[in-house]
Amino acid sequence: MSHPIKAQEFLSDPAKAKWHDETLWFVRDKRDAITKTIPEWEQLRDLASQIKDNVLANLDSYLVEFEQKAKANNIHVHWAVDSEEHNQIVLGILRQHDCKAIVKSKSILTEECHLNPFLEKNGVEVVDTDLGERIVQFLNQPPSHIVLPAIHLKKRDISEIFHEKLQTEKGNEDPTYLTQAARVHLREKFLSAKVAITGVNFGIAETGEFVVCTNEGNADMGVHLADVHIACMGIEKIIPRRKNLGVFLRILARSATGQPVTNYNSHFRSPAPGKEIHIILVDNGRTDQLAREKFKNSLKCIRCGACMNTCPIYRRSGGFSYGSVVPGPIGSILSPGLDLKKYSSLPFASTLCGSCSDVCPVKINIHEQLYEWRQEITKAQGSNAKSISMKIANGIFSTPFAYKISGEMLRGALKILPEAITYSGLNTWGKQRDLPEVPKESFKDWYKKNRK
Amino acid sequence: MSSREQILGKIKRVAKADSPLPDIPDFEFSGEIKERFVKSIQGNKGEVIDVAGLEVFLKSNGFSKIISLAKGLEQLSTRTLPENPHELADLEVAIIQGQFGVAENGSIWLTDADLGLRALPFITEHLVIVLSEASLVSNMHEAYKRIGEQHSGFGLFIAGPSKTADIEQSLVIGAHGAKSLRVVLD
Ligand code: SF4
């Protein structure tokens, strides 16, 4: 299903959509405020970008160095070309340890590999332990944001599902009360799990260690109580030297939520006595993306989510409208590389305002890549409407396909929103304007009729 | 061909322009280091106290399950470190010695040598870290210089108590790990 149609669904609850928009903007504001307290902020972004460029230019040798060091530290290193192999490796380790229930902290990679349904099909209970992820797991939903997984939900939704699953008081929506209930519930899971899975924020070639950052402490609660720690890492998460962490830990949390650093930043170098650490290095399309000169920079992403918080389309259409594991601007340049047809509407889910590139801590040229994908998609579709695009003097919608779907989106949104609402969910260009009347036919249809 | 060779081979076949690894300069730090550290900890919802404050905290709450590994404060322990971390499940207070603190964000560096058990600072209900004022550094670059080649199986920056904002972005302290962090600065 294309982005504009799903965006309409999101906009069918205008109050919630407005809250979503404003809340993410508030996070963006916090990011701005804290970056202004660091005089060298822009220099840090340059450094982070250059370090990542160096990583992409030497990825093979850094991976080999990482593997060698990690093995010397008694870490088991596995390689997976795709999600299927990744999932099989995880299952193999679980079977070896006769493990039927695991705890898992936030890992977008395991979402990408659809690990949970795979393990469940194979008789393993998976408990996501990040609070936001546990909430969406209860609801059988994927996360709608890579840093704020449950940002599409209101506390009344969470209160309802907790009442059902955790027997909390009906109607009690107090976040402290609900969090406490989750704490008690998850504590029991932590204490009984034999295997814990985490993602990886950074893998360090020089030392073979890897770093996991959380605020809740859930990754650590899991792994330090379990006998076996499985860390799932995309191959692009490598950085060369330990001291590079100084740069990345300064920019990650500030960009993500506007806080100076995450409260727990754990460096795993070798297992505790009697325990095991496995790391799985996963390709799953990354080497293909690396080979695409125009798009390889998307692999520099450190998954901070800042481009989502700032994006006028993401804020007003919600993470699910993208239909991809990573939503928002970065998702819209990563996903077409995985399946061009399925994700063909995503590069058009943008105004090309460039705000994403402005906030990106590793300086990915996100909006330029969105534009590049539009060209690729239009080419792939063998556009016969090229002449139209040349005649539409509109710098924002630069291809006919984009024009068509954006128009659909706008007309759809205008239809569902009551006229009296001055807040127009998709009126990106001026919140307080009155809603324009919905044209009965699109310009494109009109043009088709009248061009002769 | 193994998956490893396949992945490495694919990367090798991509033509890549060299891109040098940049040097990280020394960034100047303006302001008073201790003051900034205290502010950072408070911003992260922790508290900075002194040894007298620690005694008041322990007494007024009547804690009876305490493990203290901090230098000179070992006598505050009411039990010894178990072998199995699961036995820490009902621990009320852990008191540990931090190696150094970072002014810009309140991070405190700890390794296996300070922790006894890796689960300790997470599973305890309340965490106290003792830190010498002389150990404070300005920013994360200085922090990694200080860590240098140190080799520990596990290393950790803790900057505050366990927290979440996953329910409507409302900040709640005490998600899974320690419900409070107190830093004893001496
Ligand atoms: S693309 Fe940049 S801003 Fe977006 S999540 Fe990745 S690092 Fe953050």
Side-chain angles (χ1 to χ4, degrees), chain A residues 16 21 321 412:
Chain A
K16 202 169 179 178
D21 176 14
S321 64

Side-chain angles (χ1 to χ4, degrees), chain A residues 3 28 82 105 181 183 190 200 216-217 231 241 243 245 270 272 282 292 342 368 388 393 395 401 442 444 446:
Chain A
H3 178 270
R28 152 82 210 257
D82 56 17
S105 71
R183 178 185 170 99
F190 285 128
V200 170
E216 296 183 6
R241 308 272 163 261
K243 67 179 180 195
L245 284 168
S270 53
V282 186
R292 297 182 184 109
K342 184 170 173 199
E368 287 168 15
I388 301 175
F401 181 67
S442 69
K444 195 174 159 209
W446 175 88

Side-chain angles (χ1 to χ4, degrees), chain A residues 54 56 60 67 85 129 132 155 183 187 191 215-216 225 242 250 254 263-265 267 269-270 288, chain B residues 3-4 10 12 16 19 104 118 141 144 148 150 153 155 157 159 161-164 166 168 176-177:
Chain A
N54 173 267
L56 295 184
D60 47 342
E67 178 192 41
E85 189 175 10
T129 59
K155 58 188 176 193
R183 178 185 170 99
R187 187 54 71 131
L191 286 166
N215 276 319
E216 296 183 6
L225 289 170
R242 191 183 238 180
R250 293 190 79 190
R254 287 184 172 102
N263 275 356
Y264 301 106
N265 305 275
H267 300 51
R269 190 155 184 184
S270 53
D288 293 333
Chain B
S3 300
R4 177 185 187 275
K10 264 178 101 175
K12 277 204 189 88
K16 293 175 289 277
S19 191
E104 71 158 322
R118 293 179 186 181
H141 311 296
Y144 280 100
Q150 195 185 67
F157 280 113
S162 167
K163 64 172 183 178
T164 181
D166 276 343
E168 276 198 14
H176 308 288

Side-chain angles (χ1 to χ4, degrees), chain B residues 34-44 48 103:
Chain B
K34 179 184 170 189
E35 196 183 311
R36 189 60 190 283
F37 177 79
V38 172
K39 262 202 191 133
S40 296
I41 287 285
Q42 289 165 346
N44 300 341
V48 178

